Amino acid sequence: MYRMWPTSSISLLLLIQYLISSLVHCRVYNIEDYGARTDEDCTEAIRNTLKAAALETHGAEVLIPKGNFISAPINITSNIIFRVNGKLKAVKDSSRYPPVSLIPSYGYDLDIGHFSTNSSGHFRHHPFIWSINATNITICGNGIIDGSGSYWLEKFHDKTLNKVGRPHLMEIMGGKDVTIGEKTDGSSRLTLLNSGFWTLHPIYCNNVHIHNINIVASHCKTWNDKCNPNIDGIDVDSSTNVLIENNHISVGDDHVTILSGGGDAGRKFNMPSKNITVKNNILGTGMGLSIGSSVSGGIEDVLYYNNTMNETRMQWGQGSHIKTRVGIGGYIRNIVWDSNIYYNTGSGGE
């Protein structure tokens, strides 16, 4: 099985590159043509641009040009290249993030619900960038998607979330043939910055390529209980055929972790995560390369290869970590950490 993973990853990459090439010459929709102006709330302009692009039969590109554009949450649909070359910053107003349905393989909010409470209803905020059941999407560019995380961290610590969990910066749900990032010489790349909760969450996806991006949580000089709580980098959840490579990740919790739902809801949904390769990533602040803790749908065939970690803030963490707990466990098999380098993994765990 171990020898098969690099081969399947290469096949996945070639497939996704072919799909991307089919959109190379598509029409470009610039948000400024729909009324977006720098340093202003451009929500309606961006949403209208996305709606217009979605009408193109063979797909289209939506461009966030150079400049600083402010927005409430937006949704990405099929056959869209969403290119961010400027700065797209999340508005600081919780009322602009409507409550949305709980994730069915959990049945509780992942931020404040845990696995024993909030078993029904709407208890999580709309992700800043959300895509549901879309096929053939690319999110790329050399700019910044900024989740205004400090706003949400303040509400978290002040206990003013009102039982609705913090939003993910980017959640791709039910996606097929998804690319985040693009080939680059390293001088410029897309940055996912300052998430209020998990940064990048592909869930129920098939064929995902995440590459050549930066994921950075809000800056903290030291590690304490108020510094980026649960700000994960990439959470692969009940997804198949995933390749994560050549990224720089510096966050407040797991750099990359593999999940598959939690508790009775996860067992009933019964969608494992499998055939996942994570390679050649540079890991700064964070808690390492993990499996779990919510694995009720099962985890199999995961390769962590040739990643480099140097935790300089001395937060609690491990380089390689399999974790779960009573009530949200499941099967875990065929997991390999190979040729990873750990200069420093933080302070000792308790």
Side-chain angles (χ1 to χ4, degrees), residues 320-350:
S320 305
H321 195 187
I322 295 178
K323 53 182 175 176
T324 188
R325 67 181 78 169
V326 174
I328 58 175
Y331 72 82
I332 299 171
R333 60 189 179 221
N334 297 333
I335 315 298
V336 173
W337 285 266
D338 180 16
S339 302
N340 300 288
I341 299 172
Y342 303 102
Y343 291 104
N344 190 6
T345 59
S347 63
E350 297 180 355

Side-chain angles (χ1 to χ4, degrees), residues 94-301:
S94 61
S95 69
R96 306 285 298 281
Y97 299 75
V100 295
S101 297
L102 298 173
I103 297 173
S105 55
Y106 289 89
Y108 52 86
D109 175 64
L110 294 164
D111 182 17
I112 60 175
H114 307 293
F115 61 92
S116 59
T117 60
N118 290 355
S119 59
S120 62
H122 304 276
F123 289 94
R124 68 187 193 115
H125 282 290
H126 193 299
F128 180 45
I129 308 291
W130 206 16
S131 178
I132 303 176
N133 298 330
T135 298
N136 195 19
I137 64 170
T138 297
I139 300 172
C140 60
N142 55 29
I144 297 171
I145 300 176
D146 185 336
S148 297
S150 60
Y151 170 80
W152 294 101
L153 293 180
E154 183 177 338
K155 293 179 75 64
F156 176 84
H157 292 301
D158 291 346
K159 301 185 186 302
T160 57
L161 286 168
N162 298 320
K163 298 183 179 180
V164 183
R166 293 168 287 167
H168 298 167
L169 180 66
M170 185 182 298
E171 182 176 88
I172 312 298
M173 177 180 284
K176 182 179 180 182
D177 303 330
V178 175
T179 299
I180 312 294
E182 61 188 332
K183 187 176 181 180
T184 174
D185 60 7
S187 60
S188 61
R189 50 169 61 187
L190 180 67
T191 297
L192 306 185
L193 183 68
N194 296 335
S195 180
F197 189 50
W198 294 358
T199 305
L200 177 53
H201 184 209
I203 180 168
Y204 316 145
C205 291
N206 185 22
N207 288 351
V208 178
H209 188 203
I210 301 169
H211 66 123
N212 297 298
I213 66 172
N214 301 319
I215 296 178
V216 184
S218 57
H219 179 68
C220 297
K221 290 183 179 179
T222 59
W223 169 246
N224 56 57
D225 61 357
K226 291 192 174 182
C227 183
N228 297 321
N230 308 115
I231 310 296
D232 293 1
I234 302 174
D235 296 79
V236 179
D237 204 339
S238 293
S239 294
T240 301
N241 299 327
V242 180
L243 175 59
I244 300 170
E245 60 176 345
N246 303 322
N247 305 291
H248 173 262
I249 306 172
S250 188
V251 288
D253 207 307
D254 296 318
H255 291 98
V256 180
T257 192
I258 316 301
L259 308 168
S260 62
D264 291 339
R267 285 184 285 275
K268 182 178 180 180
F269 200 82
N270 192 30
M271 182 178 289
S273 281
K274 57 185 179 181
N275 195 26
I276 297 161
T277 297
V278 181
K279 66 187 183 76
N280 302 335
N281 298 284
I282 304 299
L283 312 176
T285 295
M287 296 188 182
L289 303 169
S290 304
I291 304 294
S293 56
S294 298
V295 296
S296 296
I299 309 288
E300 58 186 297
D301 302 343

